[in-house]
Amino acid sequence: EIVLTQSPGTLSLSPGERATLSCRASQSVSRSYLAWYQQKPGQAPRLLISGASSRATGIPVRFSGSGSGTDFTLTISSLEPQDSAVYYCQQYGSSVSFTFGPGTKVEIK
Amino acid sequence: QVLLQESGPGLVKPSETLSLTCTVSGGSIGYYYWSWIRQPPGKGLEWIAYMSYSGSSNYNPSLKSRVTMSVDTPKNQFSLKMTSLTAADTAVYYCARLPRLTPYFFDFWGQGTLVTVSS
């Protein structure tokens, strides 16, 4: 089973700053199989990025994904107050299985 | 716009069986893939089960012995049954859809339903 590790655990930044969130896999993951979600308190997760770098419908351009192999990154280019949330990466594995990373909490100062 | 709505008991006793239903509106349940995911209070996300429109299913190995997922196409619903519940199964349970052509991620989610396991 592929294990996903996310860092940092918490990121505290000011509005307008750039946020860089890391997702590292214990084995190589196809770019097609890597997604990112945003979850705000009391809400369901929302798909941000699929295929490592494709923004989902309606997602602002300040959100971008990159990476390959075992290292993937979610970047928020200029933080806005409403970006305060927990961000999860997720991978699709062989034999039809899905695993999530533990999440990175983004706090806006 | 596809909408998913979970329904089921909010409180279940230990050792009992949990039954949850997800009703899909705004689109047909056919030709898509569907899943259940849960989140214990204050913790991360855990995938539980997956079922294709054709009926093939797969489960998280850690839960496989206790979980069954089914689809009711005429009702546009799918369901989850989980047996032998313990306090560790207390969580918000989400139903979610996977895209037809690239069923590798979850593009639509229900709002979630909190299930508490307690006597």
Side-chain angles (χ1 to χ4, degrees):
Chain A
E1 175 190 310
I2 295 179
V3 176
L4 299 177
T5 303
Q6 292 187 243
S7 61
T10 301
L11 198 53
S12 185
L13 296 168
S14 298
E17 289 194 296
R18 183 184 193 89
T20 303
L21 288 65
S22 173
C23 176
R24 181 161 289 178
S26 58
Q27 301 173 42
S28 184
V29 174
S30 168
R31 283 177 52 86
S32 297
Y33 297 164
L34 197 287
W36 290 91
Y37 302 84
Q38 176 194 65
Q39 186 179 34
K40 297 181 179 180
Q43 296 184 17
R46 176 175 72 146
L47 177 68
L48 293 177
I49 301 284
S50 64
S53 61
S54 297
R55 269 188 304 278
T57 302
I59 300 304
V61 296
R62 64 180 183 275
F63 291 92
S64 64
S66 62
S68 63
T70 59
D71 291 302
F72 297 88
T73 300
L74 175 70
T75 302
I76 311 173
S77 60
S78 179
L79 279 167
E80 298 191 5
Q82 63 265 34
D83 297 334
S84 178
V86 178
Y87 293 83
Y88 294 95
C89 58
Q90 170 254 311
Q91 69 91 28
Y92 166 86
S94 60
S95 304
V96 186
S97 64
F98 304 84
T99 54
F100 292 89
T104 290
K105 184 176 184 179
V106 173
E107 296 177 341
I108 310 297
K109 293 178 183 176
Chain B
Q1 176 79 344
V2 175
L3 293 176
L4 290 79
Q5 179 67 59
E6 304 89 350
S7 58
L11 180 64
V12 182
K13 289 182 168 53
S15 80
E16 291 190 342
T17 295
L18 171 66
S19 293
L20 294 174
T21 297
C22 182
T23 300
V24 179
S25 58
S28 173
I29 202 168
Y31 301 111
Y32 283 95
Y33 302 78
W34 307 94
S35 261
W36 288 96
I37 296 148
R38 70 180 182 180
Q39 184 172 37
K43 297 188 177 181
L45 299 162
E46 179 182 36
W47 168 71
I48 302 170
Y50 156 107
M51 177 162 275
S52 74
Y53 58 86
S54 63
S56 64
S57 60
N58 214 22
Y59 303 104
N60 187 319
S62 68
L63 299 169
K64 187 174 183 176
S65 63
R66 300 194 291 130
V67 169
T68 304
M69 184 172 173
S70 59
V71 173
D72 188 336
T73 302
K75 289 186 177 180
N76 236 33
Q77 295 177 333
F78 59 99
S79 300
L80 178 74
K81 275 188 168 40
M82 182 180 290
T83 62
S84 306
L85 290 181
T86 71
D89 295 312
T90 294
V92 175
Y93 285 74
Y94 296 101
C95 58
R97 192 190 82 167
L98 298 91
R100 181 187 308 183
L101 298 179
T102 54
Y104 314 135
F105 54 89
F106 310 99
D107 58 354
F108 287 95
W109 296 64
Q111 65 184 30
T113 185
L114 175 62
V115 174
T116 302
V117 181
S118 174
S119 55

